[in-house]
Amino acid sequence: MEISLRVPAQEGLKHSVWLAFQNDDELHFAVGHFWFEWFPCTDQGKVRSFVDAVTGFLSGSYRSLEHYRGTDCFKAKLQRRTGNDWETIATWSKIRWPSFRRVTYKEITNVQQMSQIEPDL
């Protein structure tokens, strides 16, 4: 059995979210450019991490930090706040050629609208 669920932006959810169960053992979560899979779902630790990631984003305590060169997003990190810092939980990235172009960032949270930021990396 496979399940794919796209929840559109709506009251209480500022960004569309995609959740899926695929290939009998994969749990998927995506928001913005961030996408990650947890497997095997027979591992209770993986299931807890997946549920934590989804509920963390939905509750507004997690964010996705997207990395851009120009208009091209090449990396997105799911992060949770720890004190005054952010801890990376999972990372999506794609292969890219090295570039001297300036990196810009966009934060996606369920608390505020997407905004340009300059994080401490």
Side-chain angles (χ1 to χ4, degrees), residues 2 8 13-14 19 27 31 46-47 59 61-63 65 68 76 89 91 108-109 119:
E2 296 195 8
L13 182 60
K14 304 238 182 243
L19 304 169
L27 296 167
V31 63
K46 303 283 185 180
V47 173
S59 72
S61 60
Y62 283 26
R63 72 177 184 180
L65 183 63
Y68 288 84
I89 304 303
T91 302
I108 296 178
T109 71

Side-chain angles (χ1 to χ4, degrees), residues 4-17:
S4 178
L5 175 67
R6 178 152 316 270
V7 182
Q10 56 192 285
E11 178 134 0
L13 182 60
K14 304 238 182 243
H15 305 277
S16 176
V17 170

Side-chain angles (χ1 to χ4, degrees), residues 33 65-68 73-77 91-94:
H33 286 281
L65 183 63
E66 298 182 343
H67 301 230
Y68 288 84
C73 181
F74 63 90
K75 184 188 302 183
K77 297 177 180 179
T91 302
W92 164 87
S93 64
K94 66 180 184 178

Side-chain angles (χ1 to χ4, degrees), residues 7 9 28 31 43 49 63 69 72 87 91:
V7 182
H28 298 257
V31 63
D43 179 331
S49 294
R63 72 177 184 180
R69 290 201 190 276
D72 183 40
E87 175 186 5
T91 302

Side-chain angles (χ1 to χ4, degrees), residues 28-88:
H28 298 257
F29 169 55
V31 63
H33 286 281
F34 173 78
W35 167 79
F36 200 76
E37 64 184 355
W38 287 261
F39 66 92
C41 66
T42 53
D43 179 331
Q44 288 303 308
K46 303 283 185 180
V47 173
R48 278 192 298 276
S49 294
F50 170 78
V51 171
D52 184 57
V54 172
T55 57
F57 180 79
L58 294 177
S59 72
S61 60
Y62 283 26
R63 72 177 184 180
S64 173
L65 183 63
E66 298 182 343
H67 301 230
Y68 288 84
R69 290 201 190 276
T71 59
D72 183 40
C73 181
F74 63 90
K75 184 188 302 183
K77 297 177 180 179
L78 183 67
Q79 299 179 319
R80 73 171 152 223
R81 179 158 305 274
T82 56
N84 292 331
D85 295 321
W86 290 93
E87 175 186 5
T88 299

